[in-house]
Amino acid sequence: MAVAFRGGRGGVGSGQSTVLRSFFSYRIFISALFSFLFLATFSVVLNSSRHQPPQDHTLPSMGNAYMQRTFLALQSDPLKTRLDLIHKQATDHLTLVNAYAAYARKLKLDASKQLKLFEDLAINFSDLQSKPGLKSSVSDNSNALEEDTFRVLEKEVKDKVKTARMMIVESKESYDTQLKIQKLKDTIFAVQEQLTKAKKNGAVASLISAKSVPKSLHCLAMRLVGERISNPEKYKDAPPDPAAEDPTLYHYAIFSDNVIAVSVVVRSVVMNAEEPWKHVFHVVTDRMNLAAMKVWFKMRPLDRGAHIEIKSVEDFKFLNSSYAPVLRQLESAKLQKFYFENQAENATKDSHNLKFKNPKYLSMLNHLRFYLPEMYSKLNKVLFLDDDVVVQKDVTGLWKINLDGKVNGAVETCFGSFHRYGQYLNFTHPLIKESFNPNACAWAFGMNIFDLNAWRREKCTDQYHYWQNLNEDRTLWKLGTLPPGLITFYSKTKSLDKSWHVLGLGYNPGVSMDEIRNAAVIHYNGNMKPWLDIAMNQYKSLWTKYVDNEMEFVQMCNFGL
């Protein structure tokens, strides 16, 4: 038992001594290792110091390249830094000035003041850059620059830079493409606004000129009426002329309140007719101008045996508001309001509808053409003429044309997509859309040969009344006589050769003189009537040569023809 106890105590002491020895050995090893590393590091640093080039001891020996450049910059000459900046500014502005000068040459502005200024400025910059002081100081860092010299140089460069900037600001609008485009757009918009306004004002002025009675026409009518009052016995109505109802003769229908215009139409027909004694003219006017019209043709009777009959609208008793829907509509307060209420105010707002404000559309004379069979019940054919036409040839050939059972012989006016039914009628209305073809070719009123027998057979007047009643609110077409004419004679019109009737002399300055010379009838349709001051001079003489200038009242009223 005792042996066993001693053996146990000896084992514990031996283990503790072993641990202590191990601990001290580890500390010694660590200390030696750190000592070795320190010595090795110190040796490396010493070796590095021996191989480095000599440096300025005032600068730090450690740090990266950025720090080294910063210290060098702080130690350098401050004038040198400013010189570099000025040189860079001069170079940049020289490049910019050369670019503007090159663009000016490209735009062929060689003679312009701007190009000369740019070129002079570029030369000045080049001279500045080539100065010995600036060039050597910029290229060689060792050269010092005197402060007085630098200030003179700096002032020169700044002055040139300021001049360059001012020129570029002034010229930018001319050379900047976006600015030029925007300015051009603004100019175009402004010009379009002015053009639109000018067109509206021109349309109003043209309308006023067209619908106003010239002083000369008013004078002529007054002189003729005065003559009738002064000599009532001399101007008594003659008995009816049997020729007015003779269907074997050539009959013309002219409806107008313009004495001088009617006289020109009649005179042109008679002067160009091969057998004038076979021609009969049916003139219808309003009550106010009836006396003047009769006195004119009493004072200036037709030559070469031609016949004339003059009546007023009121002489045709069947024309009343219960029979003629258009007469009822013309008398309605609604239509009067459309024409006259705020007309001046709305004129410039709706220039498209100005032509429908012409007072001729309020006159029954304009609608008599739809009642020819009733007005001349004993006739077979009638040539309808507007009062703004001139007949240049014998037109009796129109009576010999075979109309193939059609009612109306007329010259078509369509070309391409223009002057077709779709332009005159409202094809958004279901009745119009179902009844007519929008691409059908339109034709012209003003010279029309009508077969009155075919008219009666087709009951065209009844058709006219039917559609006119439907259009009381003007939803099928606007005002005028051509739209209802296109409807009434739809598929009942025979197309004539265009040489029979040339139009446009009252609005189109481009009508060919060859067309005019070859035409049987020329038509001054439009606002520029030949008896107005606004007539086109190139066409006016074709009308004035048929004016009876020997008539004393024409001379007294100063027509200025």
Side-chain angles (χ1 to χ4, degrees):
M1 294 287 292
V3 173
F5 180 76
R6 283 196 300 268
R9 289 181 61 186
V12 173
S14 176
Q16 290 177 345
S17 61
T18 303
V19 171
L20 288 174
R21 284 195 298 270
S22 299
F23 174 74
F24 284 112
S25 299
Y26 178 74
R27 291 186 63 183
I28 293 169
F29 173 75
I30 292 300
S31 299
L33 181 62
F34 274 106
S35 299
F36 176 75
L37 290 175
F38 176 76
L39 292 173
T41 303
F42 184 71
S43 175
V44 170
V45 171
L46 287 177
N47 291 332
S48 301
S49 300
R50 289 194 192 98
H51 296 293
Q52 283 182 355
Q55 295 180 356
D56 191 344
H57 296 289
T58 60
L59 293 175
S61 58
M62 297 179 66
N64 54 28
Y66 173 77
M67 291 299 295
Q68 184 176 356
R69 286 196 302 271
T70 303
F71 286 126
L72 288 173
L74 291 173
Q75 197 179 22
S76 64
D77 184 1
L79 293 180
K80 181 71 173 177
T81 305
R82 291 170 62 186
L83 183 64
D84 291 340
L85 180 60
I86 290 173
H87 180 264
K88 186 175 185 306
Q89 283 184 335
T91 304
D92 292 344
H93 283 80
L94 174 62
T95 304
L96 193 58
V97 167
N98 283 329
Y100 272 91
Y103 194 64
R105 291 189 198 94
K106 185 177 179 182
L107 295 178
K108 298 181 180 179
L109 300 175
D110 299 279
S112 72
K113 185 178 179 181
Q114 281 186 348
L115 179 57
K116 186 71 169 61
L117 290 173
F118 279 132
E119 289 180 339
D120 291 345
L121 196 56
I123 292 170
N124 291 336
F125 273 123
S126 299
D127 292 343
L128 280 175
Q129 285 187 315
S130 61
K131 277 194 173 184
L134 178 62
K135 190 171 183 181
S136 60
S137 298
V138 171
S139 59
D140 188 358
N141 293 335
S142 63
N143 288 347
L145 186 66
E146 294 182 3
E147 186 170 353
D148 293 339
T149 306
F150 170 77
R151 291 190 184 282
V152 173
L153 186 62
E154 183 181 36
K155 186 176 183 307
E156 288 186 32
V157 173
K158 284 186 175 180
D159 289 343
K160 298 301 179 185
V161 167
K162 184 178 179 180
T163 304
R165 286 178 177 174
M166 290 176 60
M167 285 185 58
I168 289 168
V169 168
E170 293 176 359
S171 306
K172 189 173 182 181
E173 191 172 319
S174 301
Y175 296 102
D176 191 307
T177 306
Q178 292 300 323
L179 283 177
K180 287 176 70 176
I181 291 173
Q182 186 59 46
K183 187 175 181 180
L184 185 60
K185 286 182 178 179
D186 294 342
T187 304
I188 291 172
F189 179 78
V191 171
Q192 284 179 339
E193 288 290 308
Q194 292 177 356
L195 179 61
T196 302
K197 186 176 180 180
K199 282 183 176 180
K200 288 180 179 180
N201 292 337
V204 174
S206 179
L207 176 66
I208 292 172
S209 299
K211 72 180 183 179
S212 300
V213 178
K215 185 178 179 179
S216 54
L217 283 180
H218 181 72
C219 168
L220 179 62
M222 293 299 101
R223 294 278 182 181
L224 292 168
V225 173
E227 175 71 14
R228 171 68 180 262
I229 294 172
S230 301
N231 303 285
E233 296 296 326
K234 185 178 178 181
Y235 298 103
K236 283 186 176 181
D237 291 339
D241 187 351
E245 296 182 347
D246 187 350
T248 62
L249 302 178
Y250 304 111
H251 293 266
Y252 301 80
I254 306 169
F255 308 140
S256 174
D257 58 359
N258 188 328
V259 177
I260 194 75
V262 171
S263 70
V264 167
V265 176
V266 173
R267 199 160 186 254
S268 67
V269 174
V270 173
M271 289 178 66
N272 291 290
E274 294 177 0
E275 299 175 314
W277 57 89
K278 292 184 178 180
H279 294 256
V280 183
F281 299 93
H282 302 269
V283 177
V284 181
T285 187
D286 54 23
R287 184 183 301 169
M288 186 171 66
N289 291 282
L290 180 62
M293 196 77 73
K294 286 184 175 181
V295 170
W296 174 280
F297 286 102
K298 277 279 189 178
M299 294 180 70
R300 309 299 295 176
L302 300 186
D303 297 332
R304 304 169 66 192
H307 309 271
I308 189 165
E309 175 193 58
I310 302 172
K311 290 186 176 183
S312 70
V313 176
E314 291 74 17
D315 290 331
F316 299 94
K317 302 302 181 183
F318 71 92
L319 287 175
N320 52 63
S321 57
S322 61
Y323 175 70
V326 67
L327 192 58
R328 183 180 68 252
Q329 292 167 12
L330 291 175
E331 295 171 354
S332 70
K334 188 176 181 181
L335 191 62
Q336 298 290 329
K337 181 179 178 181
F338 172 79
Y339 268 102
F340 298 112
E341 188 177 73
N342 297 327
Q343 183 172 344
E345 178 184 345
N346 295 329
T348 55
K349 293 181 180 178
D350 191 8
S351 60
H352 177 71
N353 291 326
L354 278 176
K355 63 180 180 179
F356 301 111
K357 300 288 186 179
N358 196 311
K360 73 177 184 178
Y361 295 121
L362 279 176
S363 172
M364 190 59 194
L365 287 173
N366 203 43
H367 300 270
L368 287 180
R369 65 195 70 188
F370 294 104
Y371 298 98
L372 288 172
E374 291 91 338
M375 295 171 69
Y376 309 109
S377 57
K378 295 184 179 180
L379 302 182
N380 299 325
K381 282 188 176 183
V382 169
L383 181 64
F384 169 75
L385 295 176
D386 270 342
D387 64 355
D388 54 354
V389 304
V390 170
V391 177
Q392 301 186 124
K393 297 179 180 179
D394 184 272
V395 291
T396 54
L398 288 168
W399 276 263
K400 301 172 185 176
I401 293 175
N402 183 5
L403 297 181
D404 299 325
K406 303 293 180 66
V407 177
N408 174 30
V411 170
E412 293 183 337
T413 57
C414 62
F415 61 96
S417 60
F418 297 99
H419 297 290
R420 297 190 179 273
Y421 271 53
Q423 291 182 267
Y424 299 96
L425 305 177
N426 178 19
F427 275 87
T428 61
H429 196 288
L431 276 176
I432 295 292
K433 188 176 181 180
E434 292 171 5
S435 305
F436 305 101
N437 179 7
N439 294 319
C441 190
W443 42 267
F445 265 133
M447 190 225 70
N448 306 79
I449 183 72
F450 287 109
D451 185 336
L452 301 185
N453 292 327
W455 187 318
R456 299 180 186 105
R457 183 181 66 250
E458 296 291 341
K459 299 182 178 180
C460 292
T461 303
D462 292 340
Q463 286 292 313
Y464 167 68
H465 285 172
Y466 170 76
W467 288 101
Q468 193 68 49
N469 278 320
L470 292 176
N471 194 49
E472 189 160 1
D473 56 357
R474 299 183 302 280
T475 57
L476 304 184
W477 69 86
K478 295 187 184 293
L479 297 170
T481 54
L482 183 56
L486 295 175
I487 288 176
T488 302
F489 303 114
Y490 181 65
S491 72
K492 302 179 183 70
T493 298
K494 170 80 171 182
S495 177
L496 303 180
D497 187 273
K498 292 186 182 298
S499 63
W500 281 111
H501 186 193
V502 171
L503 299 103
L505 278 69
Y507 71 91
N508 182 11
V511 180
S512 166
M513 292 306 297
D514 289 335
E515 283 186 80
I516 292 173
R517 280 191 290 269
N518 293 328
V521 177
I522 55 175
H523 194 171
Y524 292 83
N525 58 311
N527 286 337
M528 299 179 186
K529 302 300 184 187
W531 53 85
L532 299 176
D533 292 336
I534 61 174
M536 286 184 277
N537 292 328
Q538 65 265 41
Y539 306 138
K540 193 168 184 176
S541 61
L542 301 170
W543 183 84
T544 56
K545 71 179 182 180
Y546 292 105
V547 175
D548 190 352
N549 290 304
E550 295 179 1
M551 207 281 185
E552 57 181 298
F553 293 153
V554 171
Q555 299 173 9
M556 293 171 64
C557 289
N558 298 318
F559 267 84
L561 302 173

